[in-house]
Amino acid sequence: MRRKQFDVTSEYAESLDAADKLAGYRERFVISDPELIYLDGNSLGRLPKATITQQSEAVRQQWGERLIRGWNDGWYDAPRRIGDRIGSLIGAAPGQVAVADSTSVNLFKAVLAGLRLRPGRKRIVTDSINFPTDLYVVQGAAELLGGEHEIVRVPSEHDEGTPDLDELVRAIDGDTAVVTLSHVTFKNGFLYDMEAITELAHGQGAIVVWDLSHSVGAVPMLLDEWGVDFAVGCTYKYLNSGPGAPAFIYVNRALHGSARSPIWGWFGRKNPFAFALDYEPAPGITRFLAGTPPMLSLLAVESGIAPTLEAGMSKIRGKSVAQTEYLIDLVDAVLASDGFTVATPRVPESRGSHVALRHSEGYRIARSLIEDMKVIPDFREPDIIRFGCAPLYTTFREIWEAVDRTRRVVTDHLYEKYSDERSEVT
Ligand SMILES: *Cc1c(COP(=O)(O)O)cnc(C)c1O
C-alpha cells in the first residue's frame, strides 16, 4: 500500500489514506465524534450503521409482530446460518460453525470434548500469555474430570512477550490430550503459526483447540485445510457485533460423530421439539448448542459481520499489516526517545492487528490519552498500552494523530496529574 518512503509527517499519513482501497468502509460505522480516535476495536468493535436499522426491525417486526412465529421465520436456524458466514472468514466449509454462548463457555465445551476424546492422556498444554479466562476454563475442566491432568503453561521469553516456541515443542508429548492457545495473544499481539502447531500437536496425537478472539476478522486462516479440531472466538471484537454478542464454536466435521458437548441442553438435542425425556445428541455442529439463543444480539452478529465479509479477509489483512507496520515505524521515530518500546513482533507473519507499547508510566499515560487527548487505547498490566488497528474504520491519519497526542502526553507531563491506582475496568 506504500506509495512513497515512510516519513513522520501527517501528509504522509494522508497519502496512505488516499491510496487505501478499504477507506470507504469507515462510512458504514457510527463515528459520533470525528475528533475521538478509537484504537480499541480489538476489544469492542464500532457500531455498524446497518445494525441500528437491523435491531430496530428485529425488535419491532420480528419480536413485536411475529412473536413466537419468529422461530420458524429464521430464528431457529440463525446459529448455523450465521455460523456458516463466520466459517467463510476462517476457512471452514458450511456445517461446522455455530454461534452461541460466550467464548468462555464455548471454550469449556471444546476443551472438555477434546479431553474426553483422549481419555488416557493426562497433559494439557497452553501458555502463560493466554487470556486468563482460557486458563481458568482449562483448570475448571481438568478439575471436573478428577483433577488428574497436568496443566503445562509454556512460559514466554519476556514476562509478557513472545512465547518460547522451543519450550512449546518440548511440552507437547505423547501424553498430551489437548493443546489450547490463542491464535493472537491478547497482550502483545503475537500471532502463532496455527498450521505448524496444529501439525505438531497432531504428530503427537493431541487435539487442538484454538481461541480466535483476537484474530477472527483481522487475520485470514484455513481451519479445514490445516485440520484444526476445535476453535472458538468472540464476535464483539473485530467482527463488530456489539457488547456481549454471542461467540462461535467450530468443530471439525471429522469429529462430528465422536465429539460431544458437556452441556446437554435441548437446543443441542436431536429433534428438540419432540420433547423426549432422554438426551440424544443432534447430528453435526448443532450438538454444541445448549439453550435458546439471545436472538437480538445474535441477529446483530449477522449485520456486524457483513462489512468484513464484503471487504474480504485478504484485503483486510493487507491493510492491517500496513497499519501496524506504520504504527511501529512511527513509535520508533517519534516515541522511542520518550521511553516507549514496541512489545509486538516486528515481522508481520508473527503479528496480529494490535500493537503493544510498553512504558513504565503506561497506566497513567493511557488515562491521560483517554481523559485529555480523546484517544482510546486500552491498558494491560503491568505496563502495556494497546493500540488496535481495525482496518474497516481506522485511518492512517488517526494512527499518526494518536502517536502525536501520545508524545504530547509525555513531553507536556500531562499524565502526572493521574494516580497510579487502577480503575475497575482498564
Ligand atoms: C476477549 C477474549 C475472551 C473473552 O471471553 P468472553 O467469554 O467473551 O468474556 C476470551 N479469550 C480470548 C483469547 C479473548 O481475547
Side-chain angles (χ1 to χ4, degrees), residues 48-327:
K49 287 176 185 163
T51 297
I52 300 174
T53 336
Q54 183 281 323
Q55 285 286 288
S56 150
E57 191 274 339
V59 170
R60 285 170 208 269
Q61 271 104 52
Q62 298 191 36
W63 177 14
E65 293 170 23
R66 294 299 295 161
L67 289 162
I68 197 83
R69 293 169 290 184
W71 289 108
N72 280 319
D73 293 348
W75 291 351
Y76 187 70
D77 282 330
R80 289 162 293 251
R81 177 179 78 238
I82 302 169
D84 282 347
R85 297 206 188 131
I86 292 176
S88 72
L89 299 173
I90 58 178
Q96 301 173 101
V97 179
V99 183
D101 305 315
S102 64
T103 297
S104 303
V105 171
N106 286 334
L107 189 72
F108 175 76
K109 294 187 279 193
V111 167
L112 217 74
L115 291 174
R116 285 180 166 155
L117 287 170
R118 293 292 179 273
R121 297 176 170 225
K122 290 289 177 255
R123 187 179 258 245
I124 304 170
V125 176
T126 180
D127 68 21
S128 63
I129 46 175
N130 208 344
F131 196 87
T133 201
D134 296 50
L135 299 175
Y136 307 153
V137 161
V138 165
Q139 290 159 21
E143 198 248 10
L144 197 70
L145 293 185
E148 284 166 11
H149 287 86
E150 179 198 5
I151 300 168
V152 180
R153 286 203 294 253
V154 172
S156 62
E157 275 171 25
H158 324 283
D159 219 11
E160 325 294 332
T162 51
D164 185 335
L165 293 173
D166 295 332
E167 266 306 308
L168 181 65
V169 172
R170 277 194 292 276
I172 301 172
D173 64 9
D175 194 35
T176 304
V178 166
V179 177
T180 183
L181 297 164
S182 291
H183 188 202
V184 169
T185 62
F186 80 107
K187 271 194 195 175
N188 73 327
F190 174 82
L191 169 64
Y192 272 107
D193 183 339
M194 187 193 286
E195 183 180 17
I197 290 162
T198 299
E199 195 183 315
L200 180 78
H202 285 170
Q204 294 290 343
I207 294 281
V208 294
V209 182
W210 285 100
D211 189 329
L212 313 179
S213 294
H214 265 86
S215 59
V216 64
V219 181
M221 61 195 95
L222 297 169
L223 264 55
D224 286 351
E225 196 176 311
W226 299 341
V228 168
D229 302 298
F230 297 91
V232 300
C234 294
T235 61
Y236 53 77
K237 295 175 176 171
Y238 293 109
L239 295 182
N240 308 309
S241 302
F248 63 90
I249 179 165
Y250 162 91
V251 181
N252 192 301
R253 190 178 300 286
L255 300 175
H256 284 188
S258 52
R260 284 204 172 193
S261 169
I263 304 170
W264 293 8
W266 68 314
F267 267 65
R269 195 197 183 278
K270 190 176 169 186
N271 197 8
F273 284 86
F275 295 103
L277 299 188
D278 291 311
Y279 178 76
E280 196 185 326
I285 190 66
T286 303
R287 63 176 59 186
F288 280 86
L289 298 178
T292 308
M295 277 318 304
L296 297 176
S297 46
L298 178 54
L299 293 169
V301 179
E302 197 158 34
S303 57
I305 61 178
T308 302
L309 285 163
E310 227 179 280
M313 283 314 304
S314 106
K315 283 203 185 114
I316 288 175
R317 174 64 175 166
K319 182 170 172 185
S320 161
V321 167
Q323 290 200 314
T324 50
E325 186 173 297
Y326 174 61
L327 172 54

